[in-house]
């Protein structure tokens, strides 16, 4: 039996749970989990805030571990290798999106690492708040960071790829002027990655207390978004804005900062809709408002290698598994810099 922590319903705290991992198939790897990052999506799902949770729910999709066993058809991994598992563990494999390596947009819907349902039997999938996981090798990632950084690598499997993918898709590079809205679990990775891509980075935050940290993380300047004068000085100056904020706010305030043909991409999903932006904010500058969802397996591996080569990891606070409910409450207060990571040895 595999020890884990699970939510049994929307109102109960996560508590000890045990389950049998599925048998190792020919195309699978078995992973002993070392670290699991804590994503805000875990909290949303555990508490059924998106109204799609299958209980019992074992959250966790920022997984770093060591391969214990491999199936007979697996050649890409061997026992002892470090491996990661992100937000997906399967997809249909034959739709146009899957054929192009964009499994996150699978026409039939990808299978989540937790809160499945799993193919083909429709059973639930259990995530990384556990001692072990069995996954298809095709959905596992190679980890090439040094072992001392493994805990801080875990959030790259969600926060890293969620920010890397749109920056890459909209061709951010040397000479780009990029805005990052919000300095949280996603935003701090957006600052690091955009800067590493060669962009000039402006961080937008509502908190003056985050200015020093934004500059430490690599931002070239920090703008207090509630200061009208600071915002006005940046009007029409940015090529691309990555908006990581998952709370409703006025998008027009940021659309006006884009140059002609600029794009603002949303990666946060608020519980309630944003106020509708003015059509004029889009038309007058031929600006675009877009969205982006994590990244495919190929791109996630690209992101991990990019970060390993440049020494990029997440800023984390390590916790024990039995501290997860307190961590959820602290997340709601934005009381973490910038990602909790669970040391799964605490489940032993």
């Amino acid at each position: 039996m595999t020890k884990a922590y699970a939510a049994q319903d929307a109102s109960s705290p996560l508590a000890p749970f045990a389950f049998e991992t599925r048998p190792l198939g020919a195309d699978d790897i078995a992973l002993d989990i070392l670290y699991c990052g804590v994503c805000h999506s875990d909290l949303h799902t555990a508490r059924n805030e998106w109204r799609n949770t299958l209980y019992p729910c074992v959250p966790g999709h920022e997984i770093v571990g060591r391969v214990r066993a491999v199936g007979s058809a697996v050649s890409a991994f061997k026992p002892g290798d470090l491996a990661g598992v992100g937000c997906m563990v399967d997809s249909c494999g034959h739709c146009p999106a899957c054929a192009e390596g964009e499994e996150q947009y699978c026409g039939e819907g990808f299978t989540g690492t937790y809160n499945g349902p799993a193919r083909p039997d429709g059973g639930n999938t259990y995530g990384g708040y556990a001692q072990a996981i069995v996954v298809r090798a095709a959905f596992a990632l190679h980890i090439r960071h040094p072992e001392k950084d493994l805990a801080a690598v875990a959030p790259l499997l969600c926060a890293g790829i969620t920010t890397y993918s749109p920056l890459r898709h909209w061709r951010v590079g040397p000479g780009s002027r990029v805005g990052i809205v919000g300095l949280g679990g996603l935003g701090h990775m957006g600052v690091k990655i955009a800067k590493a891509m060669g962009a000039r980075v402006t961080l937008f935050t509502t908190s003056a207390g985050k200015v020093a940290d934004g500059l430490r993380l690599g931002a070239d300047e920090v703008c207090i978004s509630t200061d009208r004068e600071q915002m006005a000085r940046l009007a029409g100056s940015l090529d691309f804005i990555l908006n990581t904020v998952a709370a409703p706010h006025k998008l027009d305030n940021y659309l006006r900062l884009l140059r002609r043909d600029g794009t603002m991409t949303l990666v946060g999903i608020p519980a309630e809709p944003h106020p509708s932006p003015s059509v004029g904010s889009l038309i007058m500058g031929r600006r675009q408002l877009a969205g982006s969802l994590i990244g495919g397996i190929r791109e996630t591996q690209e992101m991990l290698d990019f970060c390993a080569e440049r020494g990029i990891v997440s800023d984390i606070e390590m916790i024990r598994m039995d501290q997860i409910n307190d961590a959820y409450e602290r997340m709601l207060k934005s009381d973490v810099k910038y990602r909790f990571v669970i040391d799964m040895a605490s489940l032993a």
Side-chain angles (χ1 to χ4, degrees):
M1 294 292 285
T2 296
K3 293 181 181 178
Y5 261 55
Q8 297 291 341
D9 56 56
S11 58
S12 300
L14 274 70
F17 177 69
F19 65 94
E20 292 280 2
T21 57
R22 63 178 172 81
L24 184 73
D27 298 315
D28 294 336
I29 66 170
L31 200 64
D32 290 327
I33 300 174
L34 301 174
Y35 303 102
C36 184
V38 180
C39 177
H40 210 105
S41 298
D42 300 348
L43 188 157
H44 286 309
T45 305
R47 298 183 177 182
N48 200 24
E49 292 176 358
W50 290 331
R51 294 178 170 81
N52 65 349
T53 305
L54 303 170
Y55 293 104
C57 173
V58 177
H61 60 202
E62 299 178 348
I63 299 167
V64 170
R66 196 173 299 278
V67 177
R68 173 168 34 87
V70 302
S72 59
V74 174
S75 59
F77 294 91
K78 64 182 187 301
D81 284 351
L82 294 170
V85 179
C87 302
M88 304 178 288
V89 292
D90 205 356
S91 68
C92 79
H94 55 73
C95 72
C98 289
E100 295 168 14
E102 301 275 7
E103 299 93 346
Q104 75 275 31
Y105 301 119
C106 175
E108 296 183 13
F110 68 79
T111 299
T113 302
Y114 64 89
N115 203 48
R119 290 183 171 84
D121 63 5
N124 201 1
T125 53
Y126 295 140
Y129 294 8
Q131 292 176 313
I133 190 170
V134 175
V135 297
R136 288 183 58 201
F139 281 78
L141 291 310
H142 293 278
I143 303 296
R144 299 187 170 99
H145 284 75
E147 296 215 16
K148 67 179 179 64
D149 291 336
L150 294 183
V153 168
L156 300 183
L157 276 302
C158 178
I161 187 57
T162 296
T163 51
Y164 179 91
S165 184
L167 291 167
R168 183 84 161 78
H169 181 79
W170 275 277
R171 300 180 180 178
V172 166
S176 299
R177 294 202 58 173
V178 172
I180 305 292
V181 182
L183 188 64
L186 292 176
H188 93 287
M189 290 308 312
V191 169
K192 290 185 179 189
I193 292 172
K195 186 65 177 178
M197 289 177 168
R200 175 176 174 79
V201 179
T202 300
L203 170 69
F204 295 91
T205 177
T206 59
S207 174
K210 291 186 175 181
V211 171
D213 226 23
L215 296 172
R216 175 187 66 83
L217 291 164
D220 295 284
E221 61 181 337
V222 180
C223 174
I224 305 302
S225 56
T226 52
D227 186 317
R228 291 185 180 181
E229 290 186 7
Q230 289 188 38
M231 292 288 280
R233 283 198 297 269
L234 291 167
S237 68
L238 301 176
D239 302 301
F240 181 78
I241 297 174
L242 182 65
N243 190 328
T244 72
V245 175
H249 61 281
K250 293 181 179 179
L251 302 179
D252 282 322
N253 293 346
Y254 299 100
L255 288 169
R256 297 187 190 105
L257 307 184
L258 291 169
R259 293 176 173 172
R260 174 170 48 84
D261 293 322
T263 298
M264 179 163 71
T265 297
L266 309 179
V267 292
I269 304 177
E272 301 295 332
H274 295 295
S276 295
S278 165
V279 174
S281 296
L282 299 171
I283 288 177
M284 298 308 291
R286 199 164 60 194
R287 301 177 178 111
Q288 301 173 77
L289 178 62
S292 180
L293 175 68
I294 52 173
I297 296 301
R298 180 177 60 213
E299 189 174 52
T300 303
Q301 186 64 65
E302 178 186 295
M303 176 276 304
L304 286 169
D305 293 344
F306 176 93
C307 290
E309 290 166 4
R310 292 160 178 80
I312 296 172
V313 292
S314 182
D315 284 27
I316 66 167
E317 179 180 335
M318 192 89 78
I319 62 170
R320 300 187 312 271
M321 187 71 259
D322 62 5
Q323 295 175 307
I324 188 61
N325 294 299
D326 289 338
Y328 277 8
E329 294 306 315
R330 287 181 56 192
M331 283 168 58
L332 291 172
K333 300 172 185 176
S334 298
D335 180 23
V336 56
K337 288 186 175 181
Y338 283 95
R339 208 73 163 185
F340 288 117
V341 173
I342 307 165
D343 180 356
M344 299 314 300
S346 63
L347 256 184

